[in-house]
C-alpha cells in the first residue's frame, strides 16, 4: 500500500473521530467547568426510593438522594448534573474524576474509606431478608446453608460473611436478584428496608423480615474523592438540614407515601408497562445510533487494517497483526471499561459514555472485520489486479474502484452478521450508564418492581430490529447480485 492510499483512508478516520467528538461531547459537568459552578453527581438510578428514573413521566432521575443533592447544590450555588452508572462502578468514577461526588444509598465502611472521603451520615437504614411467602425465611440462622443473593459492591455483602455454609450470588442490580428469587434460583435476598418494602408491596408472593442491626444500622453518606473541598461544604448544609427539619421532611416525603401497585394475580402483568412504553422505545434510537457509529467506524478502520495486512511495508503488517491480536484476545467489556475510565485520567477529557461505547465497539469490530475484508480482497481474481496494473491504473484507484466493490459483495453476509452482533452486544453499554434498550429495561424493573416483563418486551424489540436489519441486507445482496 503506497503513501497516497494510506492518506486516503487515514483522512476519513480522523474526520470521523472529530465528528463523533463534536456530536457526543458532554456539556461541562465537572467542578472545573463553568467557573467552578457545575458539579456532577454519580449515582446508580435503580434503587427506589433513593434514586431511580421517572420512566413513566419526565425521564429525570428522582428520589431522596436526588432531592438532598439538589438542595445542597442550590444552597452552595452549584449547577447539578448527573452521571448514571452501575453501583459497582461508582467508586471508580470518583477515583478517575468522572464525577465530583456520589450519592447512591452508599454505606460508610472502613474499606471504602481507604479510597474515598465520606460526608456526615444523612440516613440510617436497616437490612432485611426478602424471601418467597411459601418459603419464608426470617433470620440469619435460617439462611445458613441456603442460596442468598446480594448486590455486588454493597454493604449487604458483609452480612453474608456470617453465613459460612450459604451459597452467595452477587449481581449488579436488585431487580436481577428479585428475578432470581422468583425463579427459585436463590432462597433469599438481603436488601435495605425501604427497597424491600417496595418489592414486597408490588409482589404479593414476597415477604421481608428485618435483620437486627449491629450497632447503628446502615449509615448512608455522600462520597467524595480524597481531599475534596466539597466535603466540608456539603457537611455544613447537611447540618443545617438536620437542624431545621428539612432533611426529615424529605425522608417523610419519600418513605411515608410509598405506593404499592399490588399484584392482581396471574403470572404476567404486561398491562402495568403501558405508561413506560414510550420511555422504552426511546432506547431504540440510542441503540441504533450506537450501532451505526460503531459499524461505520469499524468498517472504515477495519478496511485500513486489512490493507495494512496485505501491504509490502513490514511495520504496517506488524502493527495490524498486533492490533488484531490484542482486540481479539481481550474481553470487549474490559476494553469498554478501560476506554471509559482511563481516558479521563490519562488525557483529562471527560469522554461521554456513548462516545466511549462507540469507540470501544468500533475498535473491537475493526479487528474482526479486518480479517473478513482481507479475505474478501484476496478472493478477488488476481487477474483483475494484474490487468489494472498493466493498464496503468493507480493502486489507489484500483483498490477503491475495482477490488473493494467486489470484495464487499463477496463478504456482505459476514458484514451483516457483524452488524447484527453489534445490535445485540450493544446491551453491554448499559454498564456505563448509556440509556440503551437494556438500560431502560433495568430502569423500568426498578420502577415497577417487576423483574421479568420488561426483559420480555425489550427482547422482542431487539428481535424485531434484527429481523428488519436482516431483511434490508437481503434486499441489498439481491441488488448487488444482479450483475453476476
Amino acid at each position: 500500500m503506497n503513501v497516497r492510499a494510506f492518506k486516503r483512508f487515514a483522512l476519513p478516520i480522523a474526520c470521523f473521530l472529530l465528528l463523533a467528538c463534536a456530536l457526543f461531547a458532554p456539556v461541562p459537568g465537572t467542578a472545573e467547568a463553568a467557573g467552578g459552578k457545575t458539579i456532577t453527581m454519580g449515582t446508580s438510578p435503580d434503587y427506589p426510593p433513593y434514586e431511580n428514573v421517572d420512566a413513566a413521566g419526565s425521564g429525570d432521575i428522582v428520589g431522596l438522594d436526588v432531592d438532598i443533592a439538589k438542595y445542597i447544590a442550590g444552597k452552595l450555588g452549584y449547577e447539578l448534573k448527573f452521571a448514571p452508572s452501575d453501583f459497582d462502578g461508582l467508586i471508580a468514577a470518583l477515583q478517575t474524576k468522572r464525577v465530583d461526588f456520589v450519592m447512591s444509598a452508599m454505606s460508610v465502611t472502613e474499606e471504602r474509606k481507604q479510597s474515598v472521603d465520606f460526608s456526615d451520615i444523612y440516613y440510617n437504614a436497616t437490612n432485611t431478608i426478602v424471601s418467597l411467602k411459601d418459603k419464608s425465611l426470617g433470620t440469619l440462622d435460617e439462611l445458613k446453608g441456603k442460596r442468598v443473593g446480594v448486590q455486588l459492591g454493597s454493604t449487604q455483602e458483609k452480612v453474608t460473611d456470617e453465613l459460612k455454609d450459604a451459597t452467595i450470588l452477587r449481581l449488579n442490580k436488585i431487580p436481577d436478584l428479585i428475578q432470581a428469587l422468583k425463579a427459585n434460583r436463590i432462597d433469599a435476598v438481603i436488601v435495605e428496608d425501604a427497597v424491600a418494602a417496595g418489592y414486597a408491596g408490588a409482589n404479593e408472593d414476597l415477604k421481608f423480615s428485618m435483620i437486627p442491626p449491629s450497632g447503628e444500622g446502615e449509615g448512608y453518606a455522600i462520597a467524595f474523592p480524597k481531599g475534596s473541598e466539597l466535603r466540608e461544604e456539603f457537611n455544613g448544609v447537611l447540618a443545617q438540614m438536620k437542624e431545621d427539619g428539612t432533611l426529615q421532611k424529605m425522608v417523610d416525603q419519600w418513605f411515608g407515601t410509598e405506593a404499592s401497585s399490588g399484584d392482581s394475580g396471574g403470572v404476567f402483568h404486561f398491562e402495568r408497562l403501558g405508561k413506560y412504553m414510550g420511555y422504552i422505545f426511546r432506547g431504540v434510537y440510542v441503540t441504533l445510533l450506537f450501532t451505526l457509529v460503531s459499524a461505520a467506524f469499524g468498517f472504515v478502520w477495519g478496511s485500513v487494517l486489512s490493507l495494512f495486512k496485505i501491504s509490502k511495508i513490514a511495520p504496517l503488517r506488524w502493527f495490524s497483526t498486533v492490533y488484531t491480536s490484542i482486540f481479539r484476545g481481550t474481553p470487549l467489556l474490559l476494553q469498554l471499561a478501560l476506554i471509559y475510565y482511563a481516558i479521563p485520567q490519562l488525557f483529562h477529557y471527560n469522554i461521554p459514555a456513548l462516545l466511549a461505547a462507540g469507540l470501544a465497539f468500533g475498535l473491537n469490530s475493526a479487528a474482526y472485520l479486518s480479517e473478513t475484508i482481507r479475505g474478501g480482497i484476496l478472493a478477488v481474481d488476481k487477474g483483475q489486479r494484474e490487468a489494472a496494473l498493466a493498464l496503468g491504473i493507480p493502486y489507489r484507484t484500483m483498490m477503491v474502484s475495482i477490488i473493494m466493490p467486489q470484495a464487499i459483495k463477496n463478504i456482505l453476509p459476514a458484514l451483516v452478521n457483524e452488524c447484527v452482533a453489534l445490535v445485540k452486544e450493544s446491551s453491554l453499554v448499559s454498564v456505563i450508564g448509556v440509556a440503551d434498550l437494556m438500560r431502560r429495561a433495568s430502569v423500568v424493573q426498578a420502577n415497577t418492581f417487576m423483574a421479568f416483563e420488561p426483559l420480555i418486551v425489550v427482547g422482542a424489540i431487539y428481535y424485531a430490529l434484527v429481523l428488519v436489519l436482516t431483511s434490508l441486507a437481503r434486499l441489498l445482496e439481491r441488488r448487488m447480485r444482479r450483475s453476476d
Side-chain angles (χ1 to χ4, degrees), residues 185-451:
R185 295 184 181 276
I186 53 178
D187 301 302
V189 179
I190 300 179
V191 295
E192 184 262 319
D193 51 359
V195 177
Y199 278 103
N203 299 271
E204 63 179 17
D205 57 339
L206 300 180
K207 66 160 290 185
F208 69 96
S209 303
M210 298 288 187
I211 300 176
S214 55
E216 298 183 357
E218 296 296 326
Y220 294 159
I222 307 169
F224 303 90
K226 281 289 186 180
S228 173
E229 297 179 356
L230 289 174
R231 179 174 176 270
E232 293 303 322
E233 296 181 10
F234 274 53
N235 277 341
V237 181
L238 274 177
Q240 172 256 311
M241 294 175 69
K242 293 176 182 177
E243 184 177 349
D244 63 17
T246 301
L247 182 58
Q248 188 58 48
K249 288 179 181 178
M250 291 182 179
V251 172
D252 292 341
Q253 174 190 350
W254 285 101
F255 286 57
T257 60
E258 193 68 20
S260 171
S261 58
D263 194 329
S264 57
V267 179
F268 303 114
H269 301 280
F270 290 102
E271 70 280 357
R272 287 167 53 188
L273 296 180
K275 59 183 178 180
Y276 299 98
M277 294 307 297
Y279 176 78
I280 292 176
F281 276 110
R282 286 196 292 274
V284 174
Y285 166 76
V286 178
T287 297
L288 291 179
L289 175 63
F290 160 79
T291 302
L292 175 63
V293 171
S294 303
F297 177 46
F299 176 75
V300 174
W301 181 226
S303 299
V304 174
L305 289 173
S306 67
L307 295 178
F308 283 0
K309 291 178 179 180
I310 62 175
S311 170
K312 296 181 180 179
I313 304 175
L316 295 182
R317 294 199 307 272
W318 298 336
F319 169 79
S320 59
T321 301
V322 172
Y323 176 96
T324 302
S325 176
I326 292 174
F327 277 89
R328 292 201 305 185
T330 56
L332 176 55
L333 189 58
L334 172 65
Q335 298 162 19
L336 176 62
L338 285 175
I339 290 176
Y340 183 65
Y341 291 115
I343 287 181
Q345 197 167 12
L346 297 177
F347 302 103
H348 306 290
Y349 171 63
N350 193 11
I351 185 171
L354 189 57
L355 178 56
L359 281 175
F361 278 72
L363 292 171
N364 181 273
S365 177
Y368 290 91
L369 285 177
S370 64
E371 285 296 298
T372 302
I373 296 172
R374 182 179 68 90
I377 292 173
L378 296 179
V380 176
D381 188 85
K382 291 183 179 180
Q384 298 194 43
R385 188 176 311 177
E386 294 171 354
L389 294 175
L391 292 172
I393 298 176
Y395 180 86
R396 179 180 60 185
T397 304
M398 175 191 70
M399 291 300 300
V400 173
S401 302
I402 300 176
I403 305 300
M404 286 299 289
Q406 297 181 72
I408 292 174
K409 184 170 68 173
N410 292 334
I411 64 173
L412 185 59
L415 294 178
V416 173
N417 188 59
E418 182 65 20
C419 288
V420 169
L422 281 174
V423 171
K424 295 185 295 183
E425 291 173 356
S426 67
S427 59
L428 289 176
V429 304
S430 63
V431 303
I432 60 172
V434 176
D436 71 320
L437 281 168
M438 199 64 192
R439 182 75 182 186
R440 289 170 188 263
S442 298
V443 167
V444 174
Q445 284 180 318
N447 276 264
T448 61
F449 302 105
M450 296 190 301

Side-chain angles (χ1 to χ4, degrees), residues 132-168:
L132 297 173
K133 277 186 177 180
D134 58 354
K135 299 179 181 178
S136 178
L137 298 169
T139 66
L140 290 178
D141 287 337
E142 293 178 351
L143 294 183
K144 292 180 179 178
K146 302 293 185 179
R147 301 164 298 171
V148 182
V150 291
Q151 187 179 33
L152 182 65
S154 69
T155 54
Q156 281 76 35
E157 284 188 286
K158 278 193 166 184
V159 178
T160 62
D161 292 342
E162 305 174 28
L163 309 175
K164 302 300 181 183
D165 299 325
T167 301
I168 309 303

